[in-house]
Amino acid sequence: MHRRFKHADIIPLLGNIGSSGRFEVVEIGKSTEERSIFRLQYGHGPIKILLWSQMHGDEPTATMALFDLFNFFNGKDDGFDAYRDDIASKVTLYFIPMLNPDGTERFQRRTAMDVDMNRDARATATVEGALLKAQAMLLKPDFAFNLHNQNNYYNIPGTNMPVTISLLAPAYDYARSINETRGDAMRVIVGINKVLQEFVPKAVARYDDEHTPRGFGDNFQKWGARTILIESGAYVGDTEKMLVRKCNFVALLKAFEEIADQSFKQYSVTDYDTIPFNDEKLHDVLLRNLTIEQHGSQIVVDIAIRQIEKTIGSDYYMEGIVEDIGDLQDFYGYQDLDVSGLKFIPAKKYDNILLIEQLDHNLIQDLLHKGIATVHIKDDEAAGKLHQFPINIVSREGFLSEGLPELGSMANFFIGTDENIKYAIINGYVLDLRVSDCNPNYKNRIY
Ligand SMILES: [Zn+2]
């Protein structure tokens, strides 16, 4: 399974889940583009919990975790039957997975109307936002879980540790007051943080708590549901966010348990305040102390690179751009490289036009060692196709960033000495040319 699954992928799964008899699956409405939106109900207890995922179409991690929960609650004879029965008798769970299926189709944040649904709780101009509000008014949940993804660049303050999960009891007013509703949400979060520390120690943070009058979380809190925001973040090496998905699953199971037996009441709101706030100081690549020669003089700077995912259907390619240049001492990189004593070497383009069949590992290594970052292939149809070669491929003239690093431009250059190239930066990927590269998963496109 990968992150870019679509509405059509979940329909058969929902059919299977409903056929067990333990879940009631109902269609509560349709999106702008007529995709069905479903609500699943498990249990029959007096405490009502409503959860929804993917109101932002490009934030799918919690949707996967909800399906893990559906499978778990449909399980049997695995040692958890007592847990399942206990939950079912004490709480009623209502799940709305993939609230924004049109956005999901495009892997974009906003709805088909280009509205950010999480800024539509007040106006409810979108059919999807109106649906969610109607469910809130109909069900009057005691607890609400608003499930999102945050970007990969949040870190635990003062460390290079990415935030794997961030949590928030959204504020219902500008003063960030704490009434019993919000206080209870904070207590549930203390319990969630406690269990997550066992899986991802020191990688849990609090999301920004500024009041957003248009936001759903803020309004659910105002409407009287103890509301908890869970943001799926990042974990080193977990591109498809499978560990983050597991953290969601664990966090939610723990929350259900502590709500069912009211054990969340044991926690204190002051413990919530000990969870650090998200900082945002991570970059995909950070090159430290790079020497750049310009007009005969030398400067030493740090360079940050961002790898931006560009969606094509259910796949994507990366665009690696120069994100910042200067003193970046207080920032961190997933790839963090001190290149003191080495200098910037502009990229060149290969003079010969090739057939794509001629490209192989040896030729590419040879070209990279010569400072060549781009090859021109003879194929008019190739532009837009994806490839995994660690070199830029163009099918027409006029593409190459070959000058000095420039904000927002593609990161294509080399790093080394006058005698030797040590690193190739190709579309933001860092290749250490002193070791033979063993085929990592480059996600490039032909231009
Ligand atoms: Zn979101």
Side-chain angles (χ1 to χ4, degrees):
M1 201 56 178
H2 59 80
R3 285 172 292 151
R4 284 170 168 74
F5 58 86
K6 309 289 184 204
H7 183 257
D9 298 317
I10 69 166
I11 298 297
L13 303 178
L14 287 171
N16 289 340
I17 290 153
S19 66
S20 74
R22 280 192 251 180
F23 279 90
E24 189 190 317
V25 184
V26 291
E27 184 185 308
I28 53 170
K30 285 186 190 303
S31 66
T32 303
E33 294 177 343
E34 302 277 311
R35 295 188 175 91
S36 301
I37 296 170
F38 297 94
R39 189 189 73 208
L40 291 83
Q41 180 182 339
Y42 174 83
H44 44 77
I47 305 170
K48 288 176 284 185
I49 305 177
L50 174 63
L51 308 92
W52 61 93
S53 72
Q54 218 167 351
M55 66 159 59
H56 293 143
D58 57 352
E59 300 181 8
T61 304
T63 302
M64 291 174 151
L66 292 187
F67 279 87
D68 295 336
L69 287 171
F70 304 154
N71 292 329
F72 171 78
F73 283 115
N74 265 338
K76 202 172 164 30
D77 298 329
D78 55 2
F80 291 99
D81 288 340
Y83 174 95
R84 278 188 279 265
D85 292 345
D86 196 49
I87 295 292
S89 67
K90 289 176 179 160
V91 305
T92 304
L93 297 169
Y94 298 98
F95 301 92
I96 308 175
M98 199 187 282
L99 191 55
N100 177 8
D102 302 344
T104 302
E105 202 63 21
R106 303 160 172 81
F107 205 68
Q108 71 177 24
R109 177 180 179 88
R110 293 179 176 235
T111 66
M113 291 169 65
D114 259 344
V115 173
D116 182 340
M117 205 195 303
N118 209 22
R119 301 290 177 268
D120 192 37
R122 195 172 52 192
T124 57
T126 61
V127 290
E128 301 87 354
L131 260 178
L132 180 57
K133 185 173 181 185
Q135 289 296 308
M137 297 303 134
L138 174 76
L139 302 170
K140 299 188 171 51
D142 301 291
F143 292 84
F145 286 85
N146 187 11
L147 307 173
H148 290 256
N149 281 78
Q150 66 183 21
N151 73 43
N152 292 346
Y153 307 110
Y154 291 106
N155 61 298
I156 301 293
T159 79
N160 64 355
M161 176 72 91
V163 173
T164 305
I165 294 282
S166 82
L167 303 161
L168 177 73
Y172 57 85
D173 63 9
Y174 283 109
R176 304 170 209 206
S177 311
I178 304 172
N179 60 5
E180 208 188 321
T181 304
R182 185 162 181 241
D184 278 352
M186 290 172 168
R187 289 181 190 94
V188 172
I189 286 173
V190 172
I192 291 174
N193 178 45
K194 211 171 159 196
V195 72
L196 286 179
Q197 291 300 328
E198 295 172 27
F199 292 84
V200 282
K202 296 192 165 70
V204 180
R206 258 190 296 168
Y207 198 78
D208 176 29
D209 65 351
E210 191 189 340
H211 176 55
T212 313
R214 304 177 293 169
F216 265 103
D218 309 61
N219 280 286
F220 266 85
Q221 201 86 272
K222 197 185 289 178
W223 298 331
R226 299 153 184 88
T227 305
I228 291 137
L229 170 76
I230 301 182
E231 295 272 353
S232 290
Y235 189 81
V236 173
D238 187 18
T239 314
E240 292 300 316
K241 303 201 184 293
M242 291 300 131
L243 181 87
V244 191
R245 163 187 180 175
K246 183 175 155 184
C247 287
N248 270 263
F249 176 79
V250 167
L252 290 170
L253 276 187
K254 184 67 180 172
F256 298 159
E257 185 183 353
E258 295 206 333
I259 290 168
D261 67 12
Q262 297 287 294
S263 59
F264 73 88
K265 292 274 190 193
Q266 69 184 297
Y267 301 120
S268 125
V269 166
T270 52
D271 285 339
Y272 175 81
D273 289 326
T274 65
I275 305 171
F277 277 110
N278 275 324
D279 199 357
E280 199 175 0
K281 289 206 165 52
L282 272 167
H283 290 288
D284 289 305
V285 177
L286 190 47
L287 304 169
R288 300 182 190 270
N289 305 308
L290 178 64
T291 301
I292 300 178
E293 285 174 5
Q294 197 174 7
H295 310 300
S297 63
Q298 291 192 336
I299 61 162
V300 176
V301 291
D302 307 322
I303 292 186
I305 294 169
R306 178 153 298 198
Q307 295 171 333
I308 300 167
E309 289 186 4
K310 301 278 186 175
T311 298
I312 296 191
S314 293
D315 206 346
Y316 68 97
Y317 65 90
M318 214 62 104
E319 213 173 80
I321 61 146
V322 176
E323 171 85 358
D324 205 353
I325 307 170
D327 172 2
L328 303 176
Q329 244 190 84
D330 310 313
F331 291 81
Y332 307 96
Y334 280 92
Q335 274 182 289
D336 206 313
L337 214 59
D338 189 345
V339 292
S340 296
L342 301 178
K343 65 171 195 174
F344 172 89
I345 301 164
K348 291 181 291 197
K349 185 174 168 181
Y350 194 39
D351 288 334
N352 303 338
I353 295 180
L354 298 171
L355 296 169
I356 194 147
E357 296 77 32
Q358 290 173 277
L359 275 179
D360 63 18
H361 179 78
N362 291 336
L363 175 61
I364 289 171
Q365 288 300 311
D366 189 43
L367 295 175
L368 293 176
H369 277 280
K370 289 175 179 153
I372 292 165
T374 304
V375 294
H376 189 165
I377 57 157
K378 195 178 158 54
D379 182 353
D380 296 337
E381 308 286 291
K385 286 182 187 160
L386 305 186
H387 73 86
Q388 294 189 312
F389 293 111
I391 197 160
N392 294 300
I393 303 176
V394 298
S395 61
R396 50 181 176 240
E397 289 296 334
F399 166 84
L400 182 67
S401 47
E402 54 192 356
L404 292 167
E406 213 177 289
L407 276 192
S409 70
M410 260 180 90
N412 289 315
F413 53 89
F414 294 86
I415 298 171
T417 62
D418 287 331
E419 293 77 38
N420 255 314
I421 291 177
K422 293 208 158 64
Y423 299 101
I425 312 296
I426 302 293
N427 187 27
Y429 290 110
V430 180
L431 288 91
D432 186 341
L433 296 185
R434 295 164 302 180
V435 296
S436 184
D437 198 304
C438 289
N439 192 31
N441 283 324
Y442 299 109
K443 305 282 285 183
N444 290 322
R445 66 163 282 198
I446 299 174
Y447 287 87

